[in-house]
Amino acid sequence: MYAFEYQRPTSRDAATGAAAGDARYLAGGQSLVQAMRLRLSQSERLIDLGAIDELKAIGVDKNNAIRIGAMATHAAVAAHADVKRLAPALAELAGGIGDPMVRNMGTIGGSIANADPAACYPTAVLALGATIHTDGRTIAADDFFTGLYETELEPGELVTAVSFPSAQKAAYVKFKQQASRFALVGVFVAQTASGVRVAVTGAKSHVFRATPIEDALTKSFTPDAAKAVRMPTDDINADLHGSAEYRAAMISVMAARAVAAALSR
Amino acid sequence: MEVPIEITVNGRQVSKTIDPRTLLVQFLREALHLTGTHVGCDTAQCGACTVHMNGRAIKACSMLALQVQGSEITTIEGLTRDGELHPMQAAFRECHGLQCGFCTPGMVMAGVQILADNPKASEAEIREALDGNICRCTGYQNIVKSIQFCQSGAQPASV
């Protein structure tokens, strides 16, 4: 690990105030600490957000939207009564990330700011049409994820919370890569006020909407409709774990399973 | 530059200064000599480094010691009280829930968390909840049995 200066502020304002220059926020550290250990990540100052209680709150806004503080852990989201009641798909997704120990440390803010191409949370953000709140503005889900580990966030900009509007029906299903347990392909399907939205992780450089499947599900919200779609292989990842054709086919299969899970609620 | 750390480990107040790069598992093993917490894969896959922070299981190899500032940490050494094995430890001995023993501290710490969260966990739920703990002796059958034995509240026959 490269040397860094460590700070542990107790308020949002103190955190953003410390973020000038070559600084990086530390959330749960389940990705960042490993990246630092491999010297893939280096910054002069590390600002640990772990002592900022105001970033950990989970609550319900008007219109039954769930508002999750950036430092809420996956375990806290998975176990929260309001999340389970109003957004069961979101609770299940959080309860399936990594393993129990990872879920006790990993946070929603850290997950979306890191924007791992195989992370689970970005699918919920995109499919449910969430709003990302930062210290200075709000960002729509459709604008947030911009590339491989890249987001719309400016240097020093702090994610404070994510708001998820309620969906009529939703579910997330992933096919785990057997060694890493990350999603080889994961699909979040949601029937929302603005139509059917389908978000895919693990298959491209970053999360994206599967518009051919959205179109098919708009006509018929059934597993068969999703399964019948042949997803294009353009820009789809290929590696020793699966070819682009395999991953593209798995998108339709996972979408079909997600529709079945959403309908069975 | 060294930074102060103050935490409680197994009920004992600890106050030291450390390099901010110190991992929690390094701090426990090298500064406090609590070597029951193991380093297995060192990449957050195997769970041999599992300890509890404020009652929640975490992987000590995948976090900075400073991230647990002000917290209560329990390691495998802290489960034993007055020389008496914790019921989960006794269950692992009773059911032969270990072979080489390397993964055992993590398995025991994970097992305690599993039953604390879900006292009536089914066998399938126990297996699912052990997702983050790897045993390379292929001892999962008896590991699951051990957690179930602890869950049953039965008294170990062996002494």
Side-chain angles (χ1 to χ4, degrees), chain A:
Chain A
M1 225 183 278
Y2 293 108
F4 55 84
E5 178 208 331
Y6 176 89
Q7 294 195 14
R8 190 175 168 89
T10 53
S11 73
R12 263 176 57 168
D13 290 346
T16 51
D22 182 17
R24 187 175 276 272
Y25 296 118
L26 173 65
Q30 298 303 283
S31 297
L32 180 56
V33 170
Q34 291 297 341
M36 289 165 61
R37 297 185 64 188
L38 294 166
R39 293 194 168 184
L40 293 171
S41 175
Q42 178 183 19
S43 44
E44 284 178 17
R45 194 174 319 118
L46 196 65
I47 303 161
D48 186 347
L49 306 173
I52 307 176
D53 288 339
E54 60 187 307
L55 292 179
K56 296 175 186 170
I58 300 173
V60 182
D61 282 355
K62 58 182 187 300
N63 304 327
N64 280 342
I66 300 277
R67 187 187 174 101
I68 299 177
M71 286 297 288
T73 63
H74 309 328
V77 172
H80 198 277
D82 289 333
V83 182
K84 289 204 279 195
R85 181 169 56 87
L86 295 168
L90 186 60
E92 284 173 15
L93 176 148
I97 296 172
D99 59 52
M101 285 77 88
V102 168
R103 293 196 286 275
N104 281 333
M105 284 302 293
T107 67
I108 187 169
S111 172
I112 67 168
N114 187 48
D116 188 296
C120 296
Y121 256 133
T123 63
V125 171
L126 194 55
L128 293 172
T131 301
I132 294 96
H133 303 267
T134 77
D135 55 306
R137 58 175 169 157
T138 58
I139 304 171
D142 284 308
D143 301 327
F144 187 78
F145 300 99
T146 56
L148 183 70
Y149 295 106
E150 285 182 6
T151 68
E152 174 64 17
L153 293 169
E154 298 289 334
E157 189 171 9
L158 177 68
V159 175
T160 55
V162 185
S163 297
F164 294 90
S166 63
Q168 286 117 24
K169 287 194 183 301
Y172 174 70
V173 174
K174 64 178 164 181
F175 186 77
K176 290 179 183 173
Q177 202 270 80
Q178 287 301 303
S180 74
R181 317 301 281 169
F182 265 85
L184 191 69
V185 171
V187 179
F188 198 114
V189 170
Q191 270 187 331
T192 73
S194 57
V196 176
R197 293 170 66 103
V198 177
V200 181
T201 191
K204 289 192 182 181
S205 64
H206 60 292
V207 67
F208 65 97
R209 285 174 64 183
T211 44
I213 298 178
E214 291 181 354
D215 294 342
L217 292 176
T218 301
K219 294 193 193 95
S220 166
F221 195 80
T222 59
D224 285 345
K227 213 181 220 169
V229 176
R230 246 182 110 83
M231 286 293 291
T233 55
D234 311 326
D235 304 323
I236 299 280
N237 298 338
D239 56 27
L240 78 168
H241 304 298
S243 65
E245 291 75 17
Y246 176 75
R247 278 191 169 84
M250 290 298 281
I251 295 171
S252 302
V253 173
M254 292 300 121
R257 290 183 190 175
V259 171
L263 290 172
S264 70
R265 257 187 240 291

Side-chain angles (χ1 to χ4, degrees), chain B residues 6-77:
Chain B
E6 288 189 28
I7 58 176
T8 305
V9 180
N10 299 335
R12 190 165 59 92
Q13 286 277 112
V14 173
S15 177
K16 289 188 181 288
T17 60
I18 57 170
D19 185 314
R21 291 174 288 186
T22 310
L23 298 170
L24 177 58
V25 73
Q26 287 175 317
F27 183 69
L28 294 172
R29 288 178 57 86
E30 295 167 24
L32 305 183
H33 307 297
L34 293 169
T35 53
T37 302
H38 290 170
V39 181
C41 68
D42 211 11
T43 55
Q45 310 284 322
C46 82
C49 65
T50 300
V51 300
H52 291 180
M53 172 179 71
N54 300 330
R56 306 294 302 170
I58 54 168
K59 289 182 170 175
C61 82
S62 198
M63 53 195 300
L64 304 173
L66 289 168
Q67 284 182 267
V68 305
Q69 187 77 265
S71 302
E72 283 192 26
I73 299 295
T74 305
T75 70
I76 188 74
E77 291 92 341

